[in-house]
Amino acid sequence: MKTLRYLFPAFLAVLLNFNLYAQSEKIQVIPKPAKIKEIKGTFRVDASTSILMAGKNEDIVRNTLFLCETLRQAGGPVLSPVEMNSKNKKKQAIILSLNDQGKIPAEGYILKVTPKHIFIQGGSGAGLFYGIQTLLQLMPPEIMSSNKLKPGISWDIPCAEIQDSPRFPYRGMHLDVSRHFFGKEFIKRYLDLMATYKMNTFHWHLTDDNGWRIEIKKYPRLTQISAWRADHENLPWRERPAQKEGEKATYGGYYSQDDIREIVQYAKDRYITIIPEIEMPAHSIEVLAAYPQFSCTGGPFTVPTGSYWPNIDILCAGNDSVFTFIDDVLTEVANLFPSKYIHIGGDEADKTRWIACPKCQKRVKDEGLKNEKELQSYFIKRVEKIVISKGKKMIGWDEILEGGLAPEATVMSWRGIEGGIIAARQGHDVIMTPTSYCYFDYCQGESGYEPTSIGGYLPLKKVYSYEPLPQELSSAEQKHILGAQANIWTEYIPIPSHVEYMAIPRMLALSEVVW
Ligand code: ACM
Ligand code: ZN
């Protein structure tokens, strides 16, 4: 039952919440709004309620339809929006408007519920959307159902005035769809859950050793070969044998470009930006399985069925055709995703092959590089030029600092906060995602009671205690910390309900940290 699946995490988070986030009995919203003033009484939404748009602005229309559709899906009153005028605004009504003259912060909103009116005013379309999310959390919990449960529910909303806006502009959730593949319906559900808690960035880890998940028209073997592995799902991740000769690769899947466009639009309707990640130069053996000419040795390779760590076979840094491949792939990626960022991975590149490869060593010599760390930096800087040529900004894991950071790169600090501190001091933007607070693939309770996980321990309480701004930074440097993100790597997380179990309630705690 969808209702319970939505509500349970909220209840749990409320129960386990610190006083810091405690609210009144009537008003319980996650993440906690900045200012709440309770007012006596309730507003009842019923079939006679008007829903009024103060203007025909695209954001107002989209948000109004979203609210009407959410109510309808939950079996609530079916409301038909109309434009506000001097007459209808006097009736019992929900009124949606924008105030984008800077009085309300861009992602902020004011929500005023009185017995006769509900006013939702956003500082932007996103702000209006968050005002609606707060309103939905004030409604009876059945609002989260899409099953048209019991009729006869009173859609009562406690009266209050709420002023709210986020602390950070970047509020992220990541999902690895390579280690296990999750179909587009689950991606939409993940986006819905994010939207409920006002998270605004979905980092979609689309490629990794165990499967390539995005259709690239120019390289069909990426979806014919790289997207599939021999199915050893019955064995523990680290004990799976490599695909044998003649063995069929049957586990996998990918998103067609039409799927991607559909999901990008779905996210846009919820004011979520999707940052696509295409891993390079490492975490790319699935590419080499289809195109061994991009490796240092020539292969052959198969798509790993589990983990053989480290994966020493990575893209060759001495082969210009590798950069042509990257350029072609990123051309299609940039056309599909409106996000200003493309994430190029950059993490955990084992240098074994580069040290032994004549082409890589020639590159080191020709470019006057000192070592393979500088070769990695050469690689990433060259990729940044490609990313910029597509009108995008590059973001990468903190290893991209090694050997010298690319000029305009944004850094995702995961091996602790040190990388983030160094990057911010150099004037680069940073997203904080340290393992100790943000790796939601770590188990959240005592290991004997939890499903097998990759290791690590990250209980809910610890997520609540996270502070993304390092004290070491000056206030000017702190401005480069755009926000924080939780990562869900899926080696040990094979199915959607397990992703939800890992994400929730910890995402609710992170939403309190970043909002
Ligand atoms: C990572 O966890 N390798 C970014
Ligand atoms: Zn090489």
Side-chain angles (χ1 to χ4, degrees):
M1 192 160 78
K2 275 214 168 113
T3 316
L4 284 183
R5 279 202 275 141
Y6 268 107
L7 287 181
F8 179 68
F11 281 144
L12 199 63
V14 168
L15 280 176
L16 299 174
N17 226 331
F18 297 141
N19 281 340
L20 179 64
Y21 301 114
Q23 295 171 56
S24 81
E25 236 172 79
K26 271 199 320 181
I27 313 274
Q28 300 200 358
V29 177
I30 296 174
K32 184 185 172 187
K35 276 193 201 154
I36 303 172
K37 194 172 107 197
E38 288 190 31
I39 301 172
K40 261 208 171 129
T42 53
F43 179 103
R44 173 163 295 180
V45 188
D46 60 27
S48 69
T49 304
S50 305
I51 184 154
L52 307 179
M53 301 179 286
K56 273 201 188 135
N57 171 293
E58 188 197 329
D59 282 299
I60 296 181
V61 172
R62 182 194 294 163
N63 275 299
T64 307
L65 293 177
F66 180 89
L67 177 56
C68 292
E69 181 55 18
T70 308
L71 264 165
R72 192 192 65 78
Q73 288 235 349
V78 178
L79 306 179
S80 307
V82 289
E83 234 187 300
M84 186 176 74
N85 58 40
S86 54
K87 258 198 197 148
N88 61 19
K89 77 175 182 190
K90 298 206 176 89
K91 291 197 195 145
Q92 198 249 19
I94 303 173
I95 300 172
L96 293 96
S97 64
L98 280 182
N99 184 329
D100 49 12
Q101 275 98 62
K103 277 207 186 122
I104 303 176
E107 287 191 290
Y109 65 90
I110 294 173
L111 169 65
K112 187 165 182 189
V113 183
T114 71
K116 192 141 185 246
H117 286 110
I118 294 177
F119 300 98
I120 318 174
Q121 189 167 52
S124 67
L128 192 52
F129 183 73
Y130 298 136
I132 290 172
Q133 292 304 322
T134 295
L135 180 68
L136 295 176
Q137 288 196 30
L138 294 176
M139 286 189 186
E142 285 81 359
I143 189 63
M144 292 302 189
S145 165
S146 54
N147 291 347
K148 298 212 171 97
L149 286 170
K150 318 161 211 159
I153 289 169
S154 298
W155 297 94
D156 288 346
I157 300 164
C159 293
E161 183 168 350
I162 294 178
Q163 283 181 38
D164 203 9
S165 61
R167 182 176 173 209
F168 289 104
Y170 188 110
R171 305 181 299 280
M173 288 296 293
H174 149 289
L175 184 65
D176 165 12
V177 294
S178 171
R179 274 52 175 271
H180 283 98
F181 178 63
F182 301 93
K184 80 178 168 184
E185 289 315 311
F186 179 67
I187 301 300
K188 289 182 181 175
R189 173 158 172 80
Y190 198 71
L191 292 166
D192 281 339
L193 287 167
M194 287 176 59
T196 298
Y197 301 104
K198 304 186 174 80
M199 304 300 277
N200 69 355
T201 310
F202 174 45
H203 171 173
W204 204 359
H205 188 78
L206 284 163
T207 74
D208 210 304
D209 296 316
N210 304 95
W212 179 281
R213 305 291 178 217
I214 171 172
E215 179 188 24
I216 300 294
K217 303 272 190 204
K218 196 157 183 182
Y219 294 90
R221 286 173 64 83
L222 289 172
T223 38
Q224 289 160 2
I225 306 287
S226 310
W228 303 94
R229 64 184 190 235
D231 186 346
H232 291 293
E233 290 296 300
N234 57 332
L235 293 173
W237 183 255
R238 286 185 219 272
E239 292 169 27
R240 297 180 183 179
Q243 183 179 351
K244 292 186 194 64
E245 204 154 322
E247 189 178 8
K248 286 222 157 58
T250 54
Y251 179 91
Y254 63 89
Y255 309 100
S256 69
Q257 295 204 349
D258 280 344
D259 291 339
I260 303 254
R261 278 187 278 268
E262 185 182 324
I263 291 167
V264 164
Q265 182 60 45
Y266 193 87
K268 187 172 172 219
D269 288 343
R270 286 152 185 77
Y271 296 88
I272 293 173
T273 299
I274 302 184
I275 298 182
E277 179 178 358
I278 306 296
E279 273 272 20
M280 60 192 82
H283 289 284
S284 56
I285 196 169
E286 87 290 12
V287 174
L288 306 182
Y291 299 98
Q293 65 269 34
F294 300 145
S295 71
C296 289
T297 65
F301 308 96
T302 54
V303 180
T305 63
S307 166
Y308 324 111
W309 194 250
N311 278 328
I312 59 175
D313 288 294
I314 67 176
L315 297 171
C316 178
N319 180 348
D320 282 335
S321 69
V322 166
F323 295 97
T324 308
F325 167 76
I326 291 169
D327 194 318
D328 290 339
V329 168
L330 294 187
T331 300
E332 295 191 31
V333 170
N335 284 338
L336 285 167
F337 291 92
S339 156
K340 73 174 177 187
Y341 285 117
I342 292 179
H343 198 304
I344 54 76
D347 57 324
E348 299 181 310
D350 185 281
K351 309 298 190 304
T352 306
R353 293 295 189 224
W354 285 4
I355 290 168
C357 171
K359 284 186 290 233
C360 285
Q361 288 308 311
K362 181 169 186 304
R363 181 82 78 198
V364 168
K365 196 156 160 265
D366 290 352
E367 297 291 328
L369 307 173
K370 280 206 219 57
N371 51 35
E372 287 68 34
K373 273 196 176 166
E374 289 198 358
L375 183 57
Q376 152 115 356
S377 173
Y378 163 87
F379 190 105
I380 300 293
K381 283 178 181 157
R382 193 160 161 181
V383 170
E384 181 178 59
K385 287 203 185 108
I386 296 172
V387 171
I388 289 172
S389 78
K390 315 289 168 215
K392 303 287 185 182
K393 257 174 95 71
M394 185 183 76
I395 187 164
W397 301 108
D398 59 49
E399 286 91 333
I400 66 171
L401 281 154
E402 289 166 12
L405 192 51
E408 294 172 40
T410 296
V411 171
M412 212 166 243
S413 188
W414 73 279
R415 297 174 302 174
I417 61 170
E418 202 49 40
I421 291 173
I422 295 169
R425 286 198 171 132
Q426 293 177 16
H428 290 259
D429 286 343
V430 170
I431 312 301
M432 283 298 189
T433 179
T435 53
S436 47
Y437 293 95
C438 295
Y439 269 44
F440 290 3
D441 54 338
Y442 288 11
C443 74
Q444 54 196 314
E446 283 178 44
S447 59
Y449 295 95
E450 291 293 320
T452 305
S453 76
I454 197 156
Y457 176 56
L458 177 54
L460 181 64
K461 195 168 174 172
K462 188 154 182 203
V463 183
Y464 275 117
S465 76
Y466 184 44
E467 169 47 59
L469 296 182
Q471 282 178 353
E472 296 90 326
L473 295 180
S474 68
S475 56
E477 290 163 345
Q478 283 183 348
K479 293 213 163 55
H480 287 293
I481 311 292
L482 303 183
Q485 170 180 295
N487 298 334
I488 301 192
W489 304 100
T490 58
E491 288 92 336
Y492 292 85
I493 306 178
I495 53 171
S497 57
H498 195 163
V499 175
E500 288 183 30
Y501 181 76
M502 302 309 269
I504 294 166
R506 290 181 289 188
M507 177 175 70
L508 283 64
L510 186 67
S511 80
E512 297 286 10
V513 170
V514 290
W515 180 263

